[in-house]
Amino acid sequence: MFARHLVFCRNIKNVPETFNVCRRSHKFSRQFPSFNILNQPVKPIFYRNVRHATTNSGSKKNLPIIIAISAVGGAAVAYSIIRSKKTPVSETDDDFEETPFVHEHLDEDLALLSEFGPIPYLLIGAGSASFNAYRAIRTVDPTAKVLVVGDEAYLPYMRPPLSKEVWFDKKTDVAETLSFTQWDGNSRSLFYEPPSFFFTLKEVLDNKNGGIAVIRGKKVVKVDPVGQVVYLDKGEKISYNKCLIATGSKPKNIPVFENADKSIKKHITLFKTIQDFKKLDKICKKCESIVIVGGGFLGSELACGLARKGVSSSSTVTQVFPETGNMGKVLPEYLSIWASKKLANEGVKVIPEVEIKGLSKQGNKIELQLSNNQTLKADHIVVAVGSDANTDFAKVSGLEVDPLHGGFVVNTEMEARKNLWVAGDASCFYDVNLGRRRVEHHDHAVVSGRLAGENMAGNAKPYWHQSMFWSDLGPDIGFEAIGIVDSSLPTIGIFTKPNETEINEEKGKSDADQESASKSKLETDSVLRAPKSADNYNKGVLFYIRDDVIVGIVLWNVFGKMPIARQVINESKSQDDVSEIAKLFELHSTE
Ligand SMILES: Cc1cc2nc3c(=O)[nH]c(=O)nc-3n(C[C@H](O)[C@H](O)[C@H](O)COP(=O)(O)OP(=O)(O)OC[C@H]3O[C@@H](n4cnc5c(N)ncnc54)[C@H](O)[C@@H]3O)c2cc1C
């Protein structure tokens, strides 16, 4: 039964040798914990709902076209009005930055602290790792007094929706309300908790039941692990009993943009924060052309989201990157090229295998010279070329940074020094199964933050739980992954075959596609073949192999099976067992 419905794709060191197939696409949703109005510590809950997609992207895209045809005269008038209202980005209105945030009553707060003595728990950074550490601390130590110092203007929030749902939302005020519609249609806030959840520092210190206070807009510049003191940017000091570093990562740039002059830099965004989202949202409403540099998760998700936004604002979105396909550092080549086609269907102009050779300002636009001698004009450029661990104060604090992976070096308990822990993107930890690693993903921030928090409050637990990550490329592609997922490793992909409807849809596309679609229907399974460009990879599982052992798994449009994948990684299964292991994922089930 299984063999009749599945196709196997083998891609060993970029020498593909495979076979594949596909089924109906699904859309799923991830819901984050809702507000905790009781101010009680809660365990983070991670739900996933699966819903059937009723339309594919093609038919959704057709809808505006049909409407436009039926109202062609009106549409032409409306179009000219919209275009005339769209003011191109100019040098005079390019100030999209918000006024710098100033934490009120900081001096009073710090004076209170010096009277109180060392704060029991000090968390540096107000991101996901830090907030989940807080929750774990309060679970083990219910009256804990916790102080967070973060350099952003905002209370703790989650970043993944910033490159996904917020761009697909029909509401136009998401950047103001910071509340967005999840894939399942429910609304939620980007913030973990509303402002009422947090106390002032005075309240935390006075309250016998403790709680959490956040000092926002302040940077930590040094940690003295011996004296157990943290220094802020104006020389202010905070003594601690236990401290967590959760400074995350910062976006990388490339020299051609770094060395550009100020008038060009104003047209460049390195995307990471709520502030960046607000800025890009404003820019999108004004500009006609956006170029995204980078083909990884962030660049690809943003390209997809901005292209969707562009459908209403009539701006064009171009994505350029050196790899042969989207997410080429993670996915085997055949799948990343297939993903690029899907992005093109979403309206993104994808230009693979190019680098940026030069930049110049042409009026109000930036002209990019590409390595293939093409030039592109852009109102705005988003650079999404990866991140580096934020270890700015490592040297001055005498803390070790891993020379290979970056990040503060910690042991299996996430501890760097006595009474000093590190979690999230900023940590380079020892994974009992997969060796020394650094992971830049939300689930790792949650898991490692929680572990560090528990250990700060008195436990001594090792990092054992294998974290996962995910990416969504618009309505058709969502995947979840675990372990070492690196396209330089050999992979074995197993995909479901298309059903009759999908084959017929394929047949309608072109003669070449028609031929290959018919073949994929006829081909039965146990014959290995290389992936073809016309293959559909709508649903499947990919295994990444190192030294004959499965070290990474991607679940491609397969949801709710992560615990199985985790077990496979934890048990270091051999690649010889792949066919049997694939059955566990029930790819043939209809969900
Ligand atoms: C747009 C976007 C989309 C993403 N989507 C996904 C996804 O789909 N799936 C997934 O698994 N992961 C995703 N990620 C990655 C995920 O969000 C990160 O791995 C996670 O946020 C890491 O959490 P963290 O707490 O370690 O660091 P961060 O979230 O980076 O938080 C660290 C905080 O510390 C602050 N800070 C840094 N230095 C200092 C200092 N010296 N003093 C005070 N404060 C400081 C920073 O400003 C920041 O606010 C995404 C990331 C981004 C940016």
Side-chain angles (χ1 to χ4, degrees), residues 267-370:
H267 295 256
I268 298 170
T269 297
L270 303 180
F271 192 87
K272 159 121 189 163
T273 62
I274 283 185
Q275 197 156 328
D276 298 331
F277 163 54
K278 284 172 168 259
K279 176 180 160 190
L280 198 55
D281 182 70
K282 273 190 203 165
I283 288 170
C284 266
K285 286 174 182 153
K286 289 197 159 200
C287 78
E288 292 167 349
S289 51
I290 295 192
V291 171
I292 295 180
V293 179
F297 298 114
L298 182 60
S300 304
E301 289 175 353
L302 272 177
C304 205
L306 291 175
R308 179 58 69 97
K309 195 105 181 154
V311 171
S312 55
S313 66
S314 64
S315 51
T316 61
V317 178
T318 309
Q319 190 186 9
V320 298
F321 48 80
E323 296 83 29
T324 47
N326 286 75
M327 297 175 291
K329 290 195 172 144
V330 171
L331 301 176
E333 195 171 66
Y334 66 91
L335 199 52
S336 82
I337 290 173
W338 186 83
S340 294
K341 286 187 193 159
K342 285 284 179 187
L343 260 103
N345 289 345
E346 285 293 315
V348 181
K349 187 178 172 205
V350 181
I351 310 182
E353 299 184 84
V354 290
E355 289 181 22
I356 313 291
K357 285 288 168 212
L359 289 173
S360 58
K361 187 126 194 258
Q362 307 283 334
N364 288 327
K365 295 198 187 280
I366 305 301
E367 189 171 274
L368 296 136
Q369 288 96 44
L370 307 185

Side-chain angles (χ1 to χ4, degrees), residues 123-350:
L123 315 182
I124 306 173
S128 293
S130 177
F131 194 72
N132 283 284
Y134 152 75
R135 284 177 164 165
I137 291 168
R138 295 271 298 183
T139 307
V140 181
D141 177 357
T143 60
K145 296 179 193 294
V146 181
L147 173 62
V148 177
V149 180
D151 61 2
E152 284 190 61
Y154 298 95
L155 291 168
Y157 65 90
M158 58 198 68
R159 298 180 200 278
L162 292 177
S163 52
K164 305 176 187 64
E165 291 97 321
V166 295
W167 300 103
F168 288 80
D169 209 305
K170 290 199 173 65
K171 296 195 300 286
T172 52
D173 59 351
V174 178
E176 284 83 57
T177 61
L178 300 177
S179 159
F180 65 98
T181 311
Q182 300 179 128
W183 296 133
D184 66 358
N186 292 324
S187 188
R188 71 145 299 141
S189 165
L190 281 172
F191 294 97
Y192 279 104
E193 298 290 351
S196 58
F197 180 85
F198 298 89
F199 295 106
T200 63
L201 185 58
K202 181 171 183 350
E203 285 167 336
V204 169
L205 298 180
D206 288 348
N207 186 354
K208 66 177 175 27
N209 291 322
I212 180 172
V214 183
I215 292 178
R216 291 181 276 160
K218 284 300 283 181
K219 201 174 185 69
V220 168
V221 293
K222 182 180 170 184
V223 178
D224 170 3
V226 179
Q228 301 199 178
V229 178
V230 153
Y231 294 82
L232 307 188
D233 46 12
K234 294 220 165 70
E236 305 96 329
K237 292 183 192 178
I238 301 177
S239 301
Y240 64 81
N241 289 334
K242 311 273 176 81
C243 178
L244 173 75
I245 299 173
T247 47
S249 52
K250 51 185 175 184
K252 278 188 200 165
N253 203 342
I254 47 179
V256 70
F257 297 120
E258 249 163 6
N259 302 331
D261 73 48
K262 218 176 146 202
S263 68
I264 292 184
K265 278 188 176 156
K266 283 191 287 197
H267 295 256
I268 298 170
T269 297
L270 303 180
F271 192 87
K272 159 121 189 163
T273 62
I274 283 185
Q275 197 156 328
D276 298 331
F277 163 54
K278 284 172 168 259
K279 176 180 160 190
L280 198 55
D281 182 70
K282 273 190 203 165
I283 288 170
C284 266
K285 286 174 182 153
K286 289 197 159 200
C287 78
E288 292 167 349
S289 51
I290 295 192
V291 171
I292 295 180
V293 179
F297 298 114
L298 182 60
S300 304
E301 289 175 353
L302 272 177
C304 205
L306 291 175
R308 179 58 69 97
K309 195 105 181 154
V311 171
S312 55
S313 66
S314 64
S315 51
T316 61
V317 178
T318 309
Q319 190 186 9
V320 298
F321 48 80
E323 296 83 29
T324 47
N326 286 75
M327 297 175 291
K329 290 195 172 144
V330 171
L331 301 176
E333 195 171 66
Y334 66 91
L335 199 52
S336 82
I337 290 173
W338 186 83
S340 294
K341 286 187 193 159
K342 285 284 179 187
L343 260 103
N345 289 345
E346 285 293 315
V348 181
K349 187 178 172 205
V350 181

Side-chain angles (χ1 to χ4, degrees), residues 5 17 28 32 52 93 108 115 147 167 195 209 234 261 272 305 314 319 332 362-363 366 371 376 389 475 497 538 542:
H5 288 274
E17 165 206 317
F28 64 98
F32 295 89
H52 294 265
D93 65 358
E108 290 95 314
E115 270 173 44
L147 173 62
W167 300 103
N209 291 322
K234 294 220 165 70
D261 73 48
K272 159 121 189 163
S314 64
Q319 190 186 9
Q362 307 283 334
I366 305 301
S371 52
L376 285 177
K497 285 170 44 170
N538 280 351
L542 277 167

